[in-house]
Coordinates of all heavy atoms in Angstrom, one line a residue:
V29 N -1.7 35.3 -8.2 CA -2.0 35.0 -9.6 C -3.3 35.4 -10.0 O -3.5 36.1 -11.1 CB -1.8 33.4 -9.8 CG1 -2.4 33.0 -11.2 CG2 -0.4 33.0 -9.7
T95 N 30.2 20.7 1.7 CA 30.6 21.6 0.6 C 30.5 23.0 1.0 O 29.7 23.4 1.9 CB 29.7 21.3 -0.6 OG1 28.3 21.6 -0.2 CG2 29.8 19.9 -1.2
D101 N 28.9 26.7 4.6 CA 29.1 25.2 4.6 C 27.8 24.5 4.5 O 26.9 24.8 5.3 CB 29.9 24.7 5.8 CG 31.4 25.1 5.8 OD1 31.9 25.4 4.6 OD2 32.0 25.2 6.8
G102 N 27.7 23.6 3.6 CA 26.5 22.7 3.5 C 26.8 21.3 3.8 O 27.8 20.8 3.2

Side-chain angles (χ1 to χ4, degrees):
V29 168
T95 56
D101 289 335

